[in-house]
Every structure is written in structure tokens, then in C-alpha cells.
Amino acid sequence: MTAVNPWLALPDGAPTPVVTRRLRAAHEALVTRGGRPAAGHQVRPVVWDSWRRSLGSGVDPDGGPAPLDLLDDDLVAYRDAHPLAAVMPVIRRLLVADAEADKMIVAVTDAAGRMLWVEGDRQLRTRAEGMHFVAGSRWGEDVVGTNAPGTALALDTPVQIYGSEHYARTVQPWSCSAAPVHHPVTGALLGAIDVTGGDHVASPHVLTLVRATVAAAESELRWLHREQFAGGPALPPRRQPAAPLLEVLGRDRARLSTAGGATELSLRHSELLLLLAEAAVAGQGRTADELAAEVHVGDAAPVTVRAELSRLRKLLADAGCDPDLLGSRPYRLTGPLGTDLDQVRGLLARGAAATALERYRGPVLPRSEAPGVRAARARLTGSLRSAVLRAPRPDLLLRYSQLPEAADDAAVWQGLLDVLPVSSPRRAAAAHHLLRLRRSPRTR
């Protein structure tokens, strides 16, 4: 007797109404009561385990569409620099070329489940837009629940998900087959290739086709890698920052990264350079008196600030920056200098709260007592908090609640409790934490 492949959704090739009814009954038992399915439920172990992970992550089975993490120029820049961009011609030749005739959508994700390319049948793609199955959206299992690309990435193995096996009910009309893609030399997980459509997409031959495409893509990556080190054409390089980057999030002292390497600054230089970068965002500069007031608590002599700026100018030149980057009269940046603070702020301004939270490494220079830095810190943490509370998604609130600044924030914990499914194992801990906060005089 031939063993059944546990990763195949429909090993016999077609679903039956009985299988669909039993799947939905088991799903209902789990998400409403947290119970195990009845005997004869026919839920594959890979699906049941994924449902449990989805429940534990706080995914709402009746929640809204997938979140959009990458938009417009950010999406274009990110996927142009992604290693899988180099093998898209192979994927298009093997899968996308016939997708219209085969009534299929072909999607390529990164390792976090973000859709980078979504191509194929136009009518299906139009329908799929309603659940945000589009480029830039995140389909990680911990965000939208059981789905082929998300589960394939979570388990690092090819898998199929048939209709009612999806955790989110809005996705249950669809079926999908996906397989992870690895770098053939380093073994790093790069993303996944997915085919989505009707029931026919969950048939065994579709997963075979997806796996063959993955093998071809990895073979192409290996060839490109060899060419690169043989002096031939290289893989498209990741884009280097167009300007030096100042990293201040979650760091006691800033790190300045340039083409020549990275330099850790003193706390005072960190504060001064950040304040000048913040002023440059508004197209402004600062006098020595203004910087003294923003850097020092209480009165400080401007001559002290001038001396620090003179040392900072030399340090910037030694680090590989333009020697004239720091101008004077007033003190200002004469060229571009990016900050991770401004990157997160820009993502929040475009509504990409999930990506902003992912890139948020902690408060701005947490050890600094400089008034100007404290103000910048408060503005960013307030903007991030507001964005998370405005988008009541369990995954965002769960991640945000783990930040030190959210530990005593009753509004965050109440928001988390409001959006967690009744059957989520996280609810009890959230309710207990909220009760403790409400009894504490320190609660926000």
C-alpha cells in the first residue's frame, strides 16, 4: 500500500462535499470553543497544527484582508533589490506563461510572507484583490492564518492548502500550492513560490509543477552565483543607501554607516547629529545657542557646542562622509543623511504600520536626556502607538505589547483583549495583565 503524502491536500484529485463539511465543522469547533474535532474529522495533521498556531498568534478567522506592508516606491525598491528578482524570468516562463489559460495566480513572496510579485489570470487577480492578495501584502501564517505560502514558510517545506483548510474564512473559496525557495549556496530561506486558484490548484500535479519551478529557480541562482565569483554577470546587488545612515533606534549611542563602514558615535555626537538631521528634514539649520538648548538640560555655553561640532566635523570626514557635510552659520547638513527614525516615521505616514513596527528597534537614544532628543523620542513613540491602536490587528497589538513602552499602557492591553478571538490562548494572559494595570497607580 502506497503511503499518502501528508503535504498533499487532495491526493485523490478531487474534493467531496463530505470532506468540506467535516473540515468546516472541525474549524468551527476550534475557533469557537478551542476544542478538538470529532472522530472522522479528516483534518490533516499539518493543517490542524497550523490552525493551532494561527489561533495562538491571535489571528481572527473572520478578520479583514491581509495587511499591506509595502507600498509604491518602497515596494519597487525592495523587490528590485531582492535576490528572487534575478530568477523572475525563469518563474514567468515555467508558471506565469500558462497561468491565464490554467486559471491560476502565481505569487512570489519574501521570507516573511510579503507578496513581491502577483501575476497570472487577470480576472482571478481582480477577485483576489478583495482579500489583499496583491503585491506588498503580508501573508505570513502568523498574520492571516493557514495558507500555502505562509505555512510553507513557517514549516520550510512544500505544502498545499485546499479551500476549507484555510484558517481565515474569507480565504476558504481558494486553494493554493506553495514551496519555499532557498539560496543554493548559503541555504538561506529567500521566500516562496505559490500558485493560487480554484480546487484544481490543490491537485498533486500542481505541487509537482511548483516544486519543479523552485528547483529551476535555485539552479539559476547557483549559476548566477558562480558567474559572479568567476568575474561574470553578478546577481542584482542590494541597493546601498544613497546617503550615510544614522541609526538611533534602541541604541544607547548612534551608529553612522557609510560606504566605508560603520562608526559608533559618542552620546553627545549622537545627539548633535540627530538634531541636525531632524532640522534638515524641515529644511532648517540650528545656531549654536539653539543646539545648546536642545542638547543640554539647563544652561550651557554655546562655545562648548561649537567645540563638539568641530570634533564631529572631523569625525564625519574620517568616517567617509563628505568633508563639507556639516555646514555652519547656521549649523546644518549640506547633504543627505538618512536616519532609521525618519524611515519608521515615513512608513507610518504612508499607513504601513506593520513594516514600521518591524523596523522599530526601540526608543530614540534611550539613555539621552537631551531635551531635543527626548522630544523626538516622544513624537515617534506616540505616532507608533497611535498607528497600532488605529489598526486593531491582533498580530500588531501582540508585537507592540511586548515593547517596554507598552508594559504599563492599559489602552494597548485593552485593545489587544478586544481583538483577540474568544478561543485564543493569549486572552487569559492579556486579561490578567490588564487587571493588574488597572489596580496600579502607574497605569496610563
Side-chain angles (χ1 to χ4, degrees):
M1 183 177 179
T2 303
V4 175
N5 185 336
W7 311 111
L8 293 177
L10 301 172
D12 297 328
T16 67
V18 172
V19 169
T20 299
R21 283 197 303 270
R22 289 176 174 173
L23 281 171
R24 290 181 178 171
H27 180 270
E28 184 71 15
L30 176 69
V31 301
T32 60
R33 301 185 299 276
R36 296 196 63 82
H41 55 80
Q42 295 184 315
V43 182
R44 291 184 291 152
V46 62
V47 172
W48 179 257
D49 292 343
S50 177
W51 285 357
R52 294 290 300 176
R53 289 193 300 272
S54 303
L55 182 66
S57 297
V59 179
D60 185 350
D62 295 308
L68 294 172
D69 276 11
L70 296 168
L71 302 168
D72 305 326
D73 293 343
D74 286 332
L75 170 63
V76 173
Y78 181 77
R79 69 181 181 185
D80 284 353
H82 196 276
L84 291 181
V87 296
M88 280 306 296
V90 173
I91 296 170
R92 290 187 175 113
R93 184 171 66 250
L94 295 178
L95 282 179
V96 180
D98 297 321
E100 192 97 28
D102 293 338
K103 299 296 180 184
M104 299 188 309
I105 300 172
V106 178
V108 179
T109 81
D110 69 1
R114 284 181 289 233
M115 298 285 171
L116 303 183
W117 293 271
V118 179
E119 302 178 5
D121 185 271
R122 290 182 178 83
Q123 291 184 343
L124 285 182
R125 280 189 287 137
T126 299
R127 282 178 48 202
E129 286 175 0
M131 59 181 183
H132 283 180
F133 197 82
V134 295
S137 61
R138 183 192 287 265
W139 280 76
E141 187 188 75
D142 61 327
V143 177
V144 297
T146 308
N147 71 93
T151 302
L153 290 168
L155 299 177
D156 198 10
T157 190
V159 68
Q160 291 182 310
I161 301 297
Y162 155 71
S164 298
E165 291 181 327
H166 286 96
Y167 185 78
R169 292 187 175 96
T170 54
V171 191
Q172 290 180 354
W174 301 82
S175 293
C176 43
S177 297
V181 185
H182 298 86
H183 192 285
V185 176
T186 67
L189 180 63
L190 300 179
I193 298 175
D194 169 75
V195 170
T196 291
D199 292 348
H200 66 290
V201 170
S203 60
H205 82 274
V206 174
L207 187 58
T208 299
L209 179 59
V210 171
R211 294 178 68 174
T213 303
V214 167
E218 291 178 346
S219 177
E220 180 76 358
L221 284 169
R222 184 182 297 277
W223 181 82
L224 289 169
H225 182 83
R226 288 174 178 168
E227 286 291 305
Q228 177 180 357
F229 286 94
L235 284 169
R238 287 189 174 275
R239 292 187 178 184
Q240 297 297 322
L245 178 67
L246 186 70
E247 297 173 83
V248 297
L249 297 181
R251 300 184 60 86
D252 291 338
R253 299 193 297 171
R255 179 170 59 194
L256 177 66
S257 298
T258 68
T263 303
E264 188 171 61
L265 308 181
S266 69
L267 178 57
R268 182 63 75 221
H269 284 164
S270 302
E271 294 165 339
L272 286 168
L273 193 53
L274 172 62
L275 291 171
L276 289 170
E278 287 290 277
V281 171
Q284 300 173 351
R286 290 288 187 270
T287 65
D289 289 321
E290 289 171 333
L291 283 172
E294 289 187 308
V295 167
H296 294 277
V297 179
D299 295 332
V303 66
T304 304
V305 170
R306 292 191 186 99
E308 289 288 357
L309 288 168
S310 178
R311 287 189 283 269
L312 177 59
R313 184 180 286 112
K314 181 179 185 305
L315 186 151
L316 292 174
D318 291 345
C321 295
D322 184 334
D324 298 321
L325 177 62
L326 178 52
S328 57
R329 298 182 182 178
Y331 291 105
R332 68 198 184 280
L333 296 180
T334 61
L337 172 68
T339 69
D340 53 354
L341 160 61
D342 197 45
Q343 290 174 349
V344 170
R345 186 165 51 206
L347 289 165
L348 291 172
R350 290 190 290 275
T355 307
L357 184 56
E358 183 178 283
R359 297 188 188 179
Y360 180 73
R361 297 289 181 257
V364 176
L365 296 176
R367 286 185 56 197
S368 173
E369 293 297 326
V373 173
R374 292 179 66 179
R377 183 191 306 148
R379 286 193 298 269
L380 183 64
T381 55
S383 297
L384 184 62
R385 175 181 183 270
S386 296
V388 170
L389 290 174
R390 280 198 307 270
R393 286 171 37 192
D395 60 307
L396 290 188
L397 283 161
L398 278 168
R399 285 159 57 193
Y400 185 79
S401 68
Q402 303 309 306
L403 297 177
E405 50 263 53
D408 297 325
D409 192 334
V412 169
W413 289 91
Q414 181 63 63
L416 177 59
L417 196 60
D418 289 343
V419 298
L420 283 174
V422 175
S423 54
S424 171
R426 306 285 185 95
R427 281 187 64 86
H432 177 76
H433 190 88
L434 181 60
L435 181 62
R436 183 180 61 80
L437 288 179
R438 285 175 172 164
R439 291 173 174 171
S440 170
R442 295 184 302 130
T443 300
R444 181 183 295 189

